Amino acid sequence: MRRALVPALALALVPLASLPAPAVAGPATPGVVTPTSGPAAFSFEVPEAMTAVLLEIRRVGSSAVVASTDLGDLAAGTTSATWDARTTSGTAVADGSYVATLRASDAATPLADESTVRVNLVAPKSAAAPAFSATSVFPWNDGYRDAITLTGVTPTTETPASAAVQVLNASGAVVWSAVGRTARWTGRSSVGAIVPAGTYRVRSRYVDADGLVGYSAPRAVTVSAKRLVTRKVTERISPKAFLYRPYVGRCGKIVKPARKGKAWKKSISVSSNHRCKSKPSRSGTEARFSVGMRGAYDYSAITFKAVGAGHTKARKNAAVGFGITSDWSDISRVRRLKPAYGTRTVFSASGRSLQRFVDSDGFITFGIATFEGGRYDVKWLRVTATYRTLVDPTARGARVAGGPASQARR
């Protein structure tokens, strides 16, 4: 039985002994193929001559051949081959790690060990654009949107080694950048100078571990030439035009005009009735006026005055002026209006106390009230306001101070 096994074993070993010794693969140069690196070069130490040799490229973890090059017959010694990171049909392969090996065209197994190379042709990028806290910035250090927050987007192709937010001008030049995903931009260049007013583009810039640079989609942002300037105006306004939400008791009325004649054409009369004096809630009448300054950002002082007098036919001329808080929950200190013809202060406030009377639309409401048979005729209203408003000093005909500004609430 032993004599039968020995010849069989000897016969089985004959084909193995006839196989050529495997070639030894060296490291790929470069180890990473990028758009600027050129093709990868592979070297192999071939111990003996080989015929009809193929260079085959496979993705790591896959048995499928993505590229194959016919090297022909190889003599013993060192041989080399290159691969341009493309498939046999000429299309670029996907990013990832690949192995190269040699194989005789008529052999089923490789004739060399593997040489690994990484392919990185696609830079990090994103089709999305950065987000802004506002789409315009006013870089004048006056407290009005002096800066905006720019938030970059994460690339969809890969995780970058570093990221930055960039601002580009109309020519495509980078005027400002900041490392990181989120940054605060003040409308200035990288050297601290205010950039010219106009439209700019914001994008995220990415750099991956191999130095490939990519970008997100851009988004437009505006740098405005407008800035806050202080205005002080004094205007005469019509009581009739600025009347807003009057209160009329059961025995009162608002008379338009207060008196006949051209001089009193736009006047009103705030009239109560003495027959209701025992019931004040029925006798009182309030003329409320709401005034705003066009383009006002904030106010520092305002005064409303009434030009008028108590009506001569009224038995009493009990009249007062007051301001109404923005939520209509309170009034200012009440001022008694003398019945003699003249200019009387109805409401005045400044500084922080004034802010209680400015509503979200920038209007201030004040009023004149009469009661117990009083009647007060208002010929004109005068408003003096100091406030800040946005102005573009470079615009033709820009007004920095003065000029009509008041508007009635509708």
Side-chain angles (χ1 to χ4, degrees):
M1 185 157 185
R2 181 175 297 176
R3 292 177 181 177
L5 287 175
V6 172
L9 179 60
L11 290 173
L13 291 175
V14 169
L16 294 176
S18 66
L19 290 175
V24 178
T29 306
V32 180
V33 178
T34 68
T36 59
S37 69
F42 305 103
S43 64
F44 298 91
E45 284 294 330
V46 181
E48 58 186 78
M50 299 180 181
T51 59
V53 178
L54 300 175
L55 172 71
E56 294 183 334
I57 309 294
R58 295 175 175 83
R59 186 163 184 139
V60 170
S62 173
S63 60
V65 176
V66 297
S68 178
T69 303
D70 187 355
L71 302 181
D73 298 336
L74 299 180
T78 302
T79 189
S80 62
T82 61
W83 178 52
D84 60 0
R86 294 181 176 274
T87 65
T88 305
S89 61
T91 59
V93 298
D95 287 2
S97 294
Y98 293 81
V99 293
T101 191
L102 300 180
R103 184 177 67 84
S105 60
D106 58 351
T109 58
L111 298 179
D113 56 5
E114 298 173 342
S115 180
T116 303
V117 65
R118 188 161 54 85
V119 175
N120 185 7
L121 301 177
V122 180
K125 60 183 178 180
S126 175
F132 307 152
S133 60
T135 57
S136 57
V137 60
F138 299 74
W140 308 107
N141 291 334
D142 54 12
Y144 183 82
R145 284 163 59 177
D146 299 330
I148 60 174
T149 299
L150 311 177
T151 303
V153 291
T154 302
T156 54
T157 55
E158 61 182 289
T159 302
S162 65
V165 179
Q166 294 182 325
V167 178
L168 293 77
N169 61 18
S171 300
V174 176
V175 298
W176 179 88
S177 65
V179 176
R181 184 168 178 266
T182 301
R184 183 176 178 270
W185 188 46
T186 60
R188 297 170 184 266
S189 68
S190 296
V191 297
I194 294 176
V195 300
T199 300
Y200 293 77
R201 290 179 298 136
V202 179
R203 70 184 181 188
S204 290
R205 179 181 185 270
Y206 316 109
V207 181
D208 69 11
D210 300 313
L212 270 65
V213 178
Y215 303 94
S216 72
R219 186 180 180 192
V221 65
T222 301
V223 176
S224 177
K226 291 184 177 181
R227 62 195 73 178
L228 285 177
V229 298
T230 300
R231 275 184 163 181
K232 183 175 181 180
V233 298
T234 298
E235 296 180 11
R236 186 177 77 169
I237 60 179
S238 160
K240 181 179 178 182
F242 284 79
L243 190 64
Y244 176 72
R245 292 175 62 177
Y247 168 79
V248 179
R250 183 174 180 180
C251 300
K253 59 183 176 179
I254 301 291
V255 181
K256 306 175 190 178
R259 303 181 186 181
K260 302 293 184 181
K262 185 176 181 180
W264 290 76
K265 185 176 180 181
K266 297 180 181 180
S267 64
I268 67 167
S269 181
V270 188
S271 178
S272 66
N273 193 307
H274 68 279
R275 288 177 294 182
C276 289
K277 65 181 180 179
S278 61
K279 298 180 179 179
S281 62
R282 295 185 178 183
S283 69
T285 300
E286 295 179 10
R288 299 166 182 168
F289 309 96
S290 195
V291 178
M293 298 291 128
R294 287 187 176 88
Y297 174 67
D298 57 17
Y299 297 83
S300 57
I302 199 159
T303 299
F304 295 105
K305 295 184 178 182
V307 179
H311 198 277
T312 55
K313 293 182 180 180
R315 297 173 64 183
K316 292 183 179 181
N317 284 299
V320 295
F322 55 90
I324 303 175
T325 56
S326 59
D327 60 1
W328 293 75
S329 64
D330 198 4
I331 62 174
S332 66
R333 180 171 62 89
V334 174
R335 298 171 181 265
R336 187 173 183 88
L337 306 180
K338 295 181 180 180
Y341 181 84
T343 302
R344 316 291 181 208
T345 298
V346 177
F347 169 67
S348 181
S350 61
R352 294 182 62 182
S353 62
L354 173 56
Q355 303 312 309
R356 298 175 54 227
F357 298 90
V358 183
D359 66 18
S360 59
D361 295 321
F363 283 86
I364 301 172
T365 303
F366 65 100
I368 295 174
T370 59
F371 48 89
E372 296 182 356
R375 175 172 170 173
Y376 199 85
D377 298 342
V378 186
K379 184 177 182 181
W380 293 105
L381 295 171
R382 283 185 183 153
V383 55
T384 299
T386 303
Y387 62 100
R388 293 192 300 170
T389 186
L390 281 175
V391 172
D392 180 358
T394 65
R396 185 175 180 179
R399 303 179 67 94
V400 177
S406 61
Q407 58 182 335
R409 175 168 245 150
R410 302 301 179 192

